[in-house]
Amino acid sequence: MKLTILGGGGFRVPLVYEAAATGATGLTIDEIVLQDVEPSRLRTIERVVEELGAELRAQGRTVGPLPRLIATTDLREAVAGADFVFSAVRVGGAEGRTVDERVALDLGLLGQETVGAGGLAYALRTLPVAIEIARTIAEVAPRAWTITFTNPAGIVTEAMRSVLGDRVVGICDTPIGLVRRVSRLIGEDVDAADALDRIGIDYVGLNHLGWLRGLSVDGEDRLPGILADDSALEQIEEARLVGFDWVRAMRALPNEYLYYYLFTQQARERILEAGTTRGEFLVEQQGRFYRQAAEGAGAGSEACCDGPLAAWRATLHEREATYMAESREADEERRPEDVAGGGYQEVALRLMTAIASGRTERMILDVGNARAGSSTAADPSGRIVPQLPADLVLEVPCLVDGDGVHPQAVGPVPLEQLGLMAQQRGAERCILEAATVVDPVRARRAAWEGFSTHPLVRSVDLGGKLVDAYARRQPAVGRLLGY
């Protein structure tokens, strides 16, 4: 079996390799291909993975021989004949992310990677590349399954589905992390063999914009009891982020990224107080790692002589511990149980294993808003959320097996949730239009509408300023919009 990882020079790629090499999900992978457009970063991660493979073999943690490792900058060569493609590209690199964040902050708006104006700018330069990747996969690996965690994952998945259909699925590790934290509190394991029969999950939303509305065990919804218990909520990171009274009022636990929608000004102020955006932190931190690893040194004084793997691990620990730091008080550290959530690599490998082996898994995935064979007289399309378009990508519970991905029904979506989802995806669809039309005048108009109508912007004047600033500071955006 051949697995191709696009964005193979990315910092978290060794996590995918470790999960695959140790047979964490019971699946044997014969070949892993790392593809990236930056040769230096690709070579650095290749060295980390090679050292990691040797360590795993020495520790006896591998299942059979290690997967054959290939690194290349050629997309077609990497994808040809692949059984599965993991897409984790970052168009513009971390440096592009810093521009996304700073342009928004300079205009008095939230500057965050996937949320708000920054997320739309990220999408604007990423969508053309994602669609080209999809076309290449369709041509040279038409039977491959594509699993994308390229952000902003929801609209990127939606764009790739226009080429690959149901054989592309978006993933994120935050929803299942939330579900696992809640299930542990009631003494249940949502991943247990009997969980499919005993545990029900009601989660609905878009990527980075969703809610856990119910968790039933043997037909009894246990979420109300969790929401009523301060000691239980204290152990749930998402509840601490937005406040106990709020989750009780909403009768749901939010995806952690809803913090940015509920506490927008506070988040912006904390980012400004820090003096450094998340993107700027990662440019400095990971830039140091890649630079020193390429020179044969480590990421810091303690790891400088221990090789690239030790340097990578030290850098990873710092990265995970500082995740969403603006959502916490200055002296508040992230709790170990919040850091340890399995990660996107575990979600991707579980999805891949279920399809390849036929073993049924329940997961929360980004899929089209339609359920095969579920049409009714009221809604012949069989949509999961009837009020939204059938081709819109939602994040909902799914069953995955050898026949593919099967979205499950969810409860009715109240107006406040539905309205936020519709406004968010409406803005993103304008950005998709801007990224795909040939006429730059139409592209500028669509981009202006997308930025102006986003729920964290909602200003025609600011929308126009965002379009102009991003077009002038991001060359790829400027070319797209005819600047």
Side-chain angles (χ1 to χ4, degrees), residues 165-222:
D166 291 341
R167 295 188 81 84
V168 60
V169 183
I171 68 167
C172 183
D173 58 341
T174 57
I176 192 60
L178 170 59
V179 171
R180 284 172 175 165
R181 281 190 285 277
V182 175
S183 65
R184 283 198 298 267
L185 287 174
I186 57 176
E188 298 289 344
D189 180 2
V190 75
D191 300 314
D194 65 345
L196 287 177
D197 298 324
R198 299 184 58 245
I199 300 177
I201 300 170
D202 183 9
Y203 182 99
V204 69
L206 309 178
N207 179 246
H208 290 180
L209 183 69
W211 300 265
L212 176 63
R213 291 108 48 87
L215 186 72
S216 62
V217 180
D218 297 326
E220 178 188 357
D221 189 0
R222 305 290 293 277

Side-chain angles (χ1 to χ4, degrees), residues 69-282:
L69 184 66
I70 298 173
T72 179
T73 58
D74 189 294
L75 175 63
R76 293 177 66 86
E77 174 190 339
V79 169
D83 298 286
F84 289 89
V85 177
F86 289 1
S87 180
V89 302
R90 179 178 285 280
V91 180
E95 292 78 7
R97 174 177 177 172
T98 66
V99 176
D100 295 342
E101 294 167 338
R102 279 295 170 188
V103 164
L105 289 169
D106 290 347
L107 288 171
L109 298 166
L110 175 70
Q112 203 277 336
E113 176 192 18
T114 65
V115 170
L120 294 185
Y122 190 12
L124 195 53
R125 67 175 186 275
T126 300
L127 289 167
V129 176
I131 291 171
E132 185 57 35
I133 287 172
R135 288 171 178 160
T136 301
I137 294 170
E139 182 180 349
V140 302
R143 300 306 300 166
W145 281 88
T146 300
I147 301 171
T148 179
F149 15 95
T150 295
N151 277 322
I155 193 62
V156 168
T157 303
E158 200 163 304
M160 296 183 77
R161 279 177 59 87
S162 68
V163 179
L164 297 172
D166 291 341
R167 295 188 81 84
V168 60
V169 183
I171 68 167
C172 183
D173 58 341
T174 57
I176 192 60
L178 170 59
V179 171
R180 284 172 175 165
R181 281 190 285 277
V182 175
S183 65
R184 283 198 298 267
L185 287 174
I186 57 176
E188 298 289 344
D189 180 2
V190 75
D191 300 314
D194 65 345
L196 287 177
D197 298 324
R198 299 184 58 245
I199 300 177
I201 300 170
D202 183 9
Y203 182 99
V204 69
L206 309 178
N207 179 246
H208 290 180
L209 183 69
W211 300 265
L212 176 63
R213 291 108 48 87
L215 186 72
S216 62
V217 180
D218 297 326
E220 178 188 357
D221 189 0
R222 305 290 293 277
L223 187 60
I226 294 288
L227 297 179
D229 185 349
D230 277 4
S231 62
L233 292 179
E234 178 61 31
Q235 299 179 61
I236 301 173
E237 185 175 26
E238 292 82 354
R240 298 196 306 271
L241 286 178
V242 303
F244 297 175
D245 289 341
W246 182 255
V247 299
R248 287 173 183 141
M250 294 298 100
R251 299 181 298 279
L253 288 167
N255 183 294
E256 61 193 346
Y257 281 84
L258 272 163
Y259 168 82
Y260 295 111
Y261 293 83
L262 298 171
F263 298 91
T264 309
Q265 189 59 30
Q266 183 180 37
R268 179 179 177 273
E269 289 173 356
R270 286 184 172 180
I271 292 170
L272 291 174
E273 289 170 2
T276 302
T277 69
R278 179 65 171 173
E280 289 164 348
F281 167 79
L282 293 176

Side-chain angles (χ1 to χ4, degrees), residues 321-373:
T322 56
Y323 174 69
M324 285 186 69
E326 62 271 14
S327 66
R328 300 184 295 277
E329 298 296 334
D331 59 350
E332 182 184 358
E333 295 186 359
R334 199 171 182 213
R335 301 182 185 183
E337 64 268 22
D338 297 330
V339 177
Y344 78 98
Q345 73 282 353
E346 184 259 358
V347 179
L349 265 295
R350 281 180 60 209
L351 173 57
M352 176 178 169
T353 302
I355 293 172
S357 69
R359 184 181 71 205
T360 302
E361 289 268 12
R362 178 173 51 198
M363 312 181 72
I364 298 176
L365 303 169
D366 290 279
V367 294
N369 180 29
R371 298 177 61 218

Side-chain angles (χ1 to χ4, degrees), residues 355-409:
I355 293 172
S357 69
R359 184 181 71 205
T360 302
E361 289 268 12
R362 178 173 51 198
M363 312 181 72
I364 298 176
L365 303 169
D366 290 279
V367 294
N369 180 29
R371 298 177 61 218
S374 61
S375 61
T376 65
D379 183 23
S381 69
R383 287 172 291 185
I384 303 165
V385 179
Q387 299 89 344
L388 296 175
D391 62 345
L392 184 143
V393 166
L394 296 172
E395 195 164 78
V396 293
C398 301
L399 295 182
V400 186
D401 56 26
D403 294 324
V405 179
H406 314 284
Q408 302 298 289

